[in-house]
Amino acid sequence: MKLAFHGADRQVTGSCHLLTLDDGYRILMDCGLYQGYDKEYEDFNETWDFDPAEIDVVVLSHAHIDHCGRLPKLVKDGFEGKIYATHATRSLCNILLLDSAHIQVKDAEYYNKRKTRQAGAGKFVPREPLYEKNDVLRTMQRFVALPYDHFLYLRDNVRLEFRDAGHILGSATVSLRVNRGGEEVRIGFTGDVGRPDRPILRDPQIMQEQDYLLSESTYGNREHEDKPAEKAKFLRIIKETCEERGGKLLIPAFSVGRTQEIVYLLDQLENEHKLSKRIPVYVDSPLAINATTIYGNHPECYDSDLQEYLLTDPNPFGFNTLHYVQKVEDSKALNTLQGPAIIISASGMGNAGRIKHHLANHLPDSRNTAFIVGYCAPGTPGAQLREGAETIKFFGEPVPVNAKVEVMDSFSAHADRSELSSFLQNQQKAKLFLVHGEYDAQQAFKARLEGEGHGEVSIPDLRDEVEL
């Protein structure tokens, strides 16, 4: 058997790993979009290191675009097999991939218009969208939804099991059992591992022991703030920004997972009478609104705390001062809104969506705060804010950063160094491959794992291939 690494290798986005069995049967684990600016990945989303038509099956860990975002292109370019995922992942992929297709079309249109202005019509090769709506519809027809903790035979000698990864709604770890000449070989993929004792979702479920395991390593060199400090810090930032300075609190947040968690925390603060009724809260992302509806439709994924919370508050994603913004004109109106407000908008890295407009309009004002609540790929506006940039380019124009910048990684849906180490405690006999992490974080995490008694730990590079 061969394991090839085709994405999220010494990088955090673009998850894509190919397992080829001895008889040529090909299992692709994830097929995500790359979201960043690394030169080596410049053509990553448009090209393949393998023939999509030769892939037999896709096993999808969860619905984040950096894990599922190239599936429509895979189908467009010849893939005709099944895509296995959990029920909630299939539901989320339906809206996320349609939104991604819309972005692909708009990006291509923008590129072509800009090149036409610069070079003139007919003097450049027009860019085609990576995929369109019809490609997404064809992709969704290939999904097969599975429950957690249930073995399914992909073929006579290959079994698949999903377990709850606690990362976002429907996220799963992947366990494959391959019968090779009477010997069972256990191959696992963590996908993205969530955090224990986080709101909304159940804790990550420990995987069965594996022979070979691909493990994420996003926060392999960092610890998150604990839960009590998180709530107090969030409330302090709200008070300082909105009450003391009369400014706006801008929160770039991914539409799936991060937005729902922030809204749930604000709902708790409102129920505790700690959130001022003078501060309106806006969720400005149609995708986040649709995702929140899907969260409401999958209570089977909730943890016990939220199940108990529902007994006193049947809507954890809604309160009196919360407004969900759908229309473009209402979103634009937020940029001229007078007085304090909290604006939660996608994308989480500040490099796409409506949040770009809000940042461009509000960063020059020192009364405001940009609140970064999770990982941001290098080069994105979110990463630049984390690094203390004094100006950031939006829509080709430099924007001064006079607003205060706050960072809090405890909102992250990724396990931190200690949590991930604990999750991998029963995998000391497995050969580990660290993926989905920046190289410096991976090197630090590799050293920690080896110090804790793990045997062989490697950090594959893009397009590496190993024999199992």
Side-chain angles (χ1 to χ4, degrees):
M1 291 187 291
K2 293 181 180 179
L3 182 60
F5 301 90
H6 293 297
D9 307 306
R10 306 188 185 186
Q11 294 281 351
V12 172
T13 63
S15 181
C16 189
H17 318 288
L18 178 59
L19 176 65
T20 304
L21 305 190
D22 294 335
D23 63 358
Y25 187 80
R26 291 184 168 113
I27 302 169
L28 193 65
M29 292 178 281
D30 285 354
C31 189
L33 274 177
Y34 172 69
Q35 299 166 305
Y37 300 97
D38 191 297
K39 192 71 176 174
E40 187 180 7
Y41 276 69
E42 188 174 23
D43 300 320
F44 178 87
N45 291 331
E46 291 80 17
T47 59
W48 302 104
D49 296 321
F50 50 82
D51 184 352
E54 294 181 355
I55 302 298
D56 292 283
V57 65
V58 174
V59 177
L60 180 62
S61 65
H62 65 286
H64 273 150
I65 286 296
D66 64 318
H67 289 256
C68 75
R70 283 200 299 166
L71 284 173
K73 179 166 175 58
L74 193 77
V75 172
K76 177 182 177 181
D77 291 349
F79 172 69
E80 295 182 346
K82 294 178 179 178
I83 302 167
Y84 291 94
T86 66
H87 292 276
T89 293
R90 181 178 64 177
S91 298
L92 287 172
C93 279
N94 189 43
I95 61 168
L96 286 167
L97 291 175
L98 284 171
D99 180 74
S100 179
H102 176 75
I103 292 171
Q104 303 304 326
V105 171
K106 291 298 181 184
D107 282 352
E109 289 177 354
Y110 174 77
Y111 174 87
N112 293 336
K113 287 180 180 177
R114 181 164 58 87
K115 285 296 184 181
T116 299
R117 288 196 301 268
Q118 292 174 350
K123 295 184 179 179
F124 72 100
V125 179
R127 176 179 291 177
E128 294 292 325
L130 200 63
Y131 51 82
E132 301 180 13
K133 177 182 176 180
N134 286 338
D135 300 309
V136 174
L137 299 179
R138 289 169 55 220
T139 301
M140 295 311 303
Q141 292 172 357
R142 303 203 165 278
F143 269 76
V144 177
L146 300 178
Y148 290 122
D149 307 313
H150 174 79
F151 267 117
L152 174 83
Y153 278 92
L154 300 181
R155 63 192 310 225
D156 289 344
N157 67 330
V158 183
R159 293 190 301 163
L160 164 68
E161 182 192 35
F162 288 130
R163 287 192 176 183
D164 197 337
H167 174 62
I168 64 167
L169 196 80
S171 60
T173 60
V174 174
S175 290
L176 295 167
R177 297 291 181 266
V178 180
N179 188 310
R180 183 168 60 176
E183 176 192 9
E184 185 176 74
V185 182
R186 303 166 299 177
I187 303 161
F189 174 38
T190 66
D192 285 350
V193 181
R195 306 189 60 206
D197 196 29
R198 294 300 302 162
I200 302 177
L201 301 178
R202 293 190 296 262
D203 290 353
Q205 186 178 1
I206 295 299
M207 299 180 71
Q208 294 180 349
E209 292 182 19
Q210 309 290 326
D211 298 311
Y212 303 93
L213 178 61
L214 290 79
S215 173
E216 75 120 313
S217 50
T218 311
Y219 285 97
N221 61 348
R222 279 176 280 176
E223 306 285 348
H224 296 320
E225 293 174 90
D226 61 26
K227 195 173 180 180
E230 166 192 272
K231 197 171 186 179
K233 182 174 180 178
F234 190 26
L235 186 59
R236 173 186 64 78
I237 292 169
I238 293 172
K239 288 184 176 295
E240 288 179 358
T241 303
C242 300
E243 295 183 22
E244 296 176 16
R245 300 199 302 271
K248 296 187 179 71
L249 178 59
L250 307 177
I251 309 178
F254 294 111
S255 299
V256 177
R258 200 70 42 82
T259 292
Q260 290 76 30
E261 192 169 327
I262 292 168
V263 169
Y264 177 37
L265 183 53
L266 288 167
D267 189 89
Q268 293 175 65
L269 290 172
E270 203 270 346
N271 281 334
E272 294 166 6
H273 307 292
K274 294 178 180 177
L275 190 63
S276 171
K277 297 187 183 300
R278 298 186 299 105
I279 305 172
V281 179
Y282 300 93
V283 175
D284 185 21
S285 166
L287 181 60
I289 297 168
N290 292 335
T292 303
T293 300
I294 290 174
Y295 263 67
N297 291 337
H298 285 276
E300 75 276 7
C301 296
Y302 296 168
D303 65 11
S304 57
D305 288 345
L306 181 51
Q307 296 284 5
E308 186 174 342
Y309 188 81
L310 290 171
L311 297 176
T312 56
D313 184 349
N315 183 8
F317 307 117
F319 47 93
N320 289 336
T321 57
L322 177 66
H323 310 277
Y324 285 101
V325 180
Q326 286 273 16
K327 297 179 180 178
V328 173
E329 55 267 31
D330 293 335
S331 175
K332 291 179 178 179
L334 296 179
N335 290 319
T336 56
L337 180 72
Q338 299 299 308
I342 299 171
I343 301 173
I344 307 162
S345 186
S347 75
M349 300 186 193
N351 60 337
R354 295 179 177 180
I355 191 62
K356 285 180 67 176
H357 297 272
H358 296 313
L359 290 171
N361 279 278
H362 290 99
L363 285 178
D365 192 332
S366 61
R367 294 174 300 174
N368 301 328
T369 298
F371 189 21
I372 309 301
V373 293
Y375 175 82
C376 296
T380 60
Q384 293 178 63
L385 287 170
R386 291 179 70 107
E387 294 161 3
E390 295 182 356
T391 61
I392 299 176
K393 269 194 174 183
F394 289 98
F395 311 107
E397 298 295 328
V399 174
V401 180
N402 298 323
K404 188 172 182 180
V405 177
E406 296 273 7
V407 176
M408 191 159 70
D409 286 326
S410 62
F411 276 108
S412 174
H414 288 272
D416 65 19
R417 174 177 54 198
S418 296
E419 292 162 347
L420 192 55
S421 173
S422 177
F423 182 81
L424 296 174
Q425 264 189 348
N426 70 329
Q427 305 294 342
Q428 292 193 351
K429 295 180 181 179
K431 180 173 181 178
L432 289 177
F433 302 97
L434 300 185
V435 295
H436 207 290
E438 298 294 338
Y439 191 44
D440 59 344
Q442 292 179 318
Q443 289 175 305
F445 193 50
K446 178 179 186 291
R448 173 166 179 152
L449 291 174
E450 290 173 340
E452 292 176 343
H454 286 268
E456 192 171 349
V457 183
S458 63
I459 305 173
D461 205 347
L462 183 64
R463 301 182 185 92
D464 279 356
E465 186 174 279
V466 295
E467 289 278 352
L468 304 184

